[in-house]
Amino acid sequence: GATPPSALATLNATSTGAPLNGALASGLLAINNFHGGAIQNAMNLFEEAFEYIGKELNIKKIEEFVLFKFENNFRFPGFGHRVHKTDPRSIALFNICKENFSEEKMIYLNIAKEIENQIISIKRKKLLFQCFNSFFSSN
C-alpha cells in the first residue's frame, strides 16, 4: 500500500545499511509543505481568510477568497488526501475543539468548512478527503 513519504524515505535509507541517525534524518528531511507541514499552512490560510472576510463568517466573501486563490493557482493545504476518504483523527480533534473552544475560536472551523464547500462547488467534484464535512455532518 501507499506509505507516507517520510516513512518510505526512512525505510529506503535503512535498506541501504544507513546508520540509525542517517535513516531517521532522511525521514525527517522528507517532511515538507505537502507532507507533515500542511497543518501550519492550513492555519495560515484560515487566518488569511479570517482577515479577508472581515472577521465574521461571510459565505460570499469566502467564495470570493477561494475563487481568487484558484485564479492564482493556489494549492489548498489540508484539503484532499491521496488515500483516505475520511480521517477519524480529524473528527476526534474537531470534537475536542467543539467541547473546548469558545464561539469566537470556532470561527476558524466554520471558515475551514466553508472553504471546503466552496472548493467542492467550484471544482464540481468532492475531495477524496473531506475532513470538515465529515465532522460537521456527524454532529
Side-chain angles (χ1 to χ4, degrees):
T3 301
S6 55
L8 187 58
T10 300
L11 292 170
N12 284 339
T14 302
S15 72
T16 67
L20 179 61
N21 61 344
L24 181 59
S26 67
L28 291 172
L29 291 170
I31 295 173
N32 58 59
N33 285 341
F34 304 113
H35 169 69
I39 294 168
Q40 181 62 47
N41 293 333
M43 192 62 217
N44 291 342
L45 173 70
F46 305 149
E47 288 177 341
E48 183 183 351
F50 178 72
E51 293 297 323
Y52 181 86
I53 65 174
K55 303 181 182 181
E56 287 184 13
L57 192 61
N58 181 322
I59 293 172
K60 184 68 180 158
K61 291 287 256 181
I62 291 176
E63 180 184 13
E64 290 172 10
F65 178 79
V66 172
L67 283 169
F68 173 78
K69 292 293 189 181
F70 272 126
E71 288 168 3
N72 289 283
N73 298 316
F74 182 76
R75 182 174 175 176
F76 290 85
F79 294 94
H81 196 280
R82 64 188 179 108
V83 176
H84 302 290
K85 291 183 180 178
T86 59
D87 186 345
R89 298 171 299 179
S90 65
I91 294 169
L93 287 171
F94 288 124
N95 283 330
I96 291 168
C97 292
K98 192 172 183 179
E99 292 171 12
N100 295 289
F101 280 11
S102 65
E103 275 300 311
E104 182 181 350
K105 295 290 183 186
M106 287 298 290
I107 186 75
Y108 292 105
L109 290 175
N110 293 327
I111 287 170
K113 176 185 178 248
E114 193 52 43
I115 287 174
E116 181 179 58
N117 288 339
Q118 293 301 323
I119 291 170
I120 292 168
S121 176
I122 292 165
K123 289 291 189 178
R124 299 280 189 237
K125 65 180 182 179
K126 291 188 176 189
L127 302 172
L128 180 58
F129 177 53
Q130 297 179 48
C131 61
F132 299 110
N133 280 334
S134 298
F135 168 73
F136 282 95
S137 64
S138 67
N139 290 308

